Amino acid sequence: MTLTATAVVDRYPTRIDGDPELIDRTDPSVWDFTGAGPIDRATMAGHHTKGFSVHHDLLSPAEVAACRDELARLATDPGLAEDERAVLTDDGEVRMIYEVHAVSELVAELVRDPRVLDRARQILGSDVYIHQSRIDYLPGFRGKGTYWHSPFETWHAEDGMPAPRAVSVSIPLSGQQELTGELMAMPGSHRTFVPTTLGSGGVPDKEHLRSLGAAYGIERFTDAAGSVLVFDANTMQGSADNITPFPQTNIHVVFSSVENLLFAPFAGGQPRPPYLANRDCEALRR
Amino acid sequence: MTLTATAVVDRYPTRIDGDPELIDRTDPSVWDFTGAGPIDRATMAGHHTKGFSVHHDLLSPAEVAACRDELARLATDPGLAEDERAVLTDDGEVRMIYEVHAVSELVAELVRDPRVLDRARQILGSDVYIHQSRIDYLPGFRGKGTYWHSPFETWHAEDGMPAPRAVSVSIPLSGQQELTGELMAMPGSHRTFVPTTLGSGGVPDKEHLRSLGAAYGIERFTDAAGSVLVFDANTMQGSADNITPFPQTNIHVVFSSVENLLFAPFAGGQPRPPYLANRDCEALRR
């Protein structure tokens, strides 16, 4: 099913020509508190309050090792390096691979694993489709972090996602020695939509970040491999550069509700390619 | 007392023309385990093993607030901004002030406070002098971190400090909201001297950093203001950029043993100015 017409009211206007004002989110972050699933009530309440939740030891050490092997294999696949879905560094190293659930059998299974899929379904209160999937290979020493942003702001503006009824599932694969402390988020920030200015590329205003930071504070994630982070789409997040000597790898999957289909980009322009914003919104099944 | 002749054997040759090899440190890190002082035996043993120690809640909230006020005052002192001891950003903001114990009464008292001074004396097993003091004002959003380095490597090469018989005392003044998690160190790395190559400016080789990182791992400091970090001079350390919306301020004092006077720079060249490397090595007294 492909929809590109703008058929909904824009409740989160962004890329504004002028001074954008913060918008209180009207959508819930947990869509069905009564829904059955693997997440217990306390974890769900925490997710509702903070906009993210850590699911400890979801993968076994053997599964983490298998993922790491698969990522190492993909990074050195000569065919993939020439694929448009691969992002290379200036040195020709693979930095990211998009649509990885279509590229790797292992990842295709992982995104359908009930431990992962049912968590996304439970939070979003519906069937889900994959909006985007990718592998991040963050090099050591000078691995570039990502500045503060709300992923939903980009998906709304550039992909036409109407509501933040989506979650990012981040599966860090760094081992014990590798410090996974680069990722930061502002707990509670998902309740506020931060519109950006026209031409900003989705980078929030400093005053808005100061005000959100003062209101919500910042949490840093330091969990070992095997734990899985689930973020609300509108959580304000960023990551520092990775100056550790260790590369960090990560599988990243965005699940969106099947009741949250993509329309035309709300900020205008052409939609991004399907490997960045999947428009095949069929419900993901085991 | 001023000494500029090289009168000692160089046990830590660095800035090498060729491939430098790691050197096992021959000096202790705790010079007198029997010495009386405020540090308890367990903390001292930890300092010996890791090369650093955290001294919790050393300053009261009122003292932290007084320090913060003083730093804010110094940052806007128009006379200081023109002083050679002040380092400014491209925007003309004060980024660092060196020799701050000579500039600020409050800092002059702080470095003589028995809670601080007696800890340095206890670890170094002797009277101490101030090798360097400074304030760091790390801006928010895009505050530049510091790459991996051993401070002693620089002090040895450029200041003629013969041995790592010195400690850095770091007094973070960030409040509860401000995440003080940028500073990282490799626990145990102080036992290995990492010589650098000629022209490197003291930046260690990546292979050496990988090998130290694999051997020792990395710790990140996340203590709230009021706690004080004491580092051995040769601890391998670095900090990520500060992308949080919050500026971070820090008082940094290097105490060196009076039995560890400065000679001519071991890597040759002119000594750095006295506000970077104090050659007035008189014992600091209360």
Side-chain angles (χ1 to χ4, degrees), chain B residues 90-135:
Chain B
D90 293 343
D91 304 331
E93 304 267 298
V94 173
R95 175 69 184 77
M96 286 200 267
I97 300 171
Y98 283 102
E99 205 173 52
V100 68
H101 67 287
V103 165
S104 159
E105 286 252 356
L106 185 143
V107 178
E109 271 182 38
L110 187 61
V111 301
R112 288 172 176 83
D113 188 295
R115 290 170 293 177
V116 173
L117 177 58
D118 288 354
R119 279 179 161 77
R121 291 165 46 94
Q122 190 181 358
I123 291 171
L124 300 176
S126 71
D127 277 338
V128 299
Y129 66 96
I130 293 185
H131 169 69
Q132 185 189 94
S133 75
R134 66 173 190 267
I135 301 172

Side-chain angles (χ1 to χ4, degrees), chain B:
Chain B
M1 169 163 46
T2 301
L3 294 170
T4 48
T6 297
V8 289
V9 175
D10 184 356
R11 290 180 293 129
Y12 300 102
T14 186
R15 314 288 167 109
I16 306 282
D17 189 3
D19 283 336
E21 285 188 24
L22 299 178
I23 295 173
D24 282 336
R25 170 184 183 145
T26 44
D27 288 288
S29 49
V30 170
W31 266 257
D32 181 6
F33 253 108
T34 62
I39 308 178
D40 64 42
R41 210 174 162 84
T43 305
M44 202 61 123
H47 186 93
H48 169 74
T49 306
K50 290 184 161 188
F52 51 81
S53 46
V54 182
H55 304 261
H56 297 283
D57 301 323
L58 217 64
L59 303 187
S60 72
E63 289 174 317
V64 168
C67 286
R68 286 169 67 108
D69 289 350
E70 174 72 350
L71 265 55
R73 188 187 68 77
L74 294 169
T76 53
D77 181 325
L80 259 179
E82 290 171 17
D83 195 295
E84 63 172 355
R85 293 170 291 188
V87 177
L88 306 185
T89 66
D90 293 343
D91 304 331
E93 304 267 298
V94 173
R95 175 69 184 77
M96 286 200 267
I97 300 171
Y98 283 102
E99 205 173 52
V100 68
H101 67 287
V103 165
S104 159
E105 286 252 356
L106 185 143
V107 178
E109 271 182 38
L110 187 61
V111 301
R112 288 172 176 83
D113 188 295
R115 290 170 293 177
V116 173
L117 177 58
D118 288 354
R119 279 179 161 77
R121 291 165 46 94
Q122 190 181 358
I123 291 171
L124 300 176
S126 71
D127 277 338
V128 299
Y129 66 96
I130 293 185
H131 169 69
Q132 185 189 94
S133 75
R134 66 173 190 267
I135 301 172
D136 268 313
Y137 299 88
L138 188 61
F141 296 113
R142 304 207 183 263
K144 281 301 293 172
T146 306
Y147 194 70
W148 295 102
H149 68 288
S150 152
F152 171 64
E153 194 276 343
T154 299
W155 303 336
H156 184 68
E158 300 182 14
D159 301 337
M161 184 185 282
R165 190 169 179 174
V167 288
S168 293
V169 175
S170 176
I171 305 175
L173 296 170
S174 304
Q176 295 291 355
Q177 289 288 4
E178 291 103 327
L179 208 70
T180 58
E182 319 310 330
L183 187 59
M184 294 181 247
M186 297 186 184
S189 60
H190 64 306
R191 307 297 325 153
T192 303
F193 182 75
V194 180
T196 68
T197 53
L198 194 64
S200 67
V203 175
D205 182 86
K206 280 189 180 175
E207 269 317 308
H208 287 160
L209 288 175
R210 273 194 204 101
S211 119
L212 261 70
Y216 299 124
I218 295 170
E219 271 189 39
R220 197 189 288 269
F221 300 101
T222 53
D223 281 82
S227 292
V228 167
L229 311 174
V230 181
F231 286 90
D232 181 274
N234 188 47
T235 303
M236 188 59 72
Q237 58 195 262
S239 58
D241 290 357
N242 176 27
I243 70 159
T244 77
F246 311 113
Q248 300 192 358
T249 53
N250 189 290
I251 301 174
H252 201 91
V253 188
V254 181
F255 296 99
S256 180
S257 168
V258 292
E259 296 170 32
N260 192 34
L261 303 182
L262 300 188
F263 289 83
F266 284 91
Q270 286 301 309
R272 299 194 298 172
Y275 63 87
L276 292 178
N278 179 22
R279 292 180 175 273
D280 170 15
C281 305
E282 218 167 311
L284 199 64
R285 299 282 177 207
R286 172 90 189 134

Side-chain angles (χ1 to χ4, degrees), chain A residues 216-234:
Chain A
Y216 299 123
I218 295 169
E219 272 189 38
R220 199 189 286 269
F221 300 100
T222 54
D223 281 81
S227 292
V228 167
L229 311 174
V230 181
F231 287 91
D232 181 273
N234 189 45

Side-chain angles (χ1 to χ4, degrees), chain A residues 227-266:
Chain A
S227 292
V228 167
L229 311 174
V230 181
F231 287 91
D232 181 273
N234 189 45
T235 304
M236 189 58 73
Q237 58 195 264
S239 59
D241 290 359
N242 176 26
I243 70 159
T244 77
F246 312 114
Q248 299 192 359
T249 53
N250 189 289
I251 300 174
H252 201 90
V253 188
V254 181
F255 296 99
S256 180
S257 168
V258 292
E259 296 169 32
N260 192 34
L261 304 182
L262 299 189
F263 289 84
F266 284 91

Side-chain angles (χ1 to χ4, degrees), chain A residues 91-142:
Chain A
D91 304 332
E93 305 265 300
V94 173
R95 173 69 184 78
M96 284 200 269
I97 301 171
Y98 283 102
E99 206 175 49
V100 68
H101 68 286
V103 165
S104 159
E105 286 252 358
L106 185 142
V107 178
E109 271 183 41
L110 187 61
V111 299
R112 288 172 177 83
D113 188 296
R115 291 170 293 178
V116 174
L117 177 58
D118 288 354
R119 279 178 161 78
R121 292 165 46 96
Q122 191 181 359
I123 291 171
L124 301 176
S126 71
D127 277 337
V128 298
Y129 66 96
I130 293 185
H131 170 69
Q132 185 190 93
S133 75
R134 66 173 190 267
I135 301 171
D136 268 313
Y137 298 89
L138 189 62
F141 296 114
R142 303 206 186 264

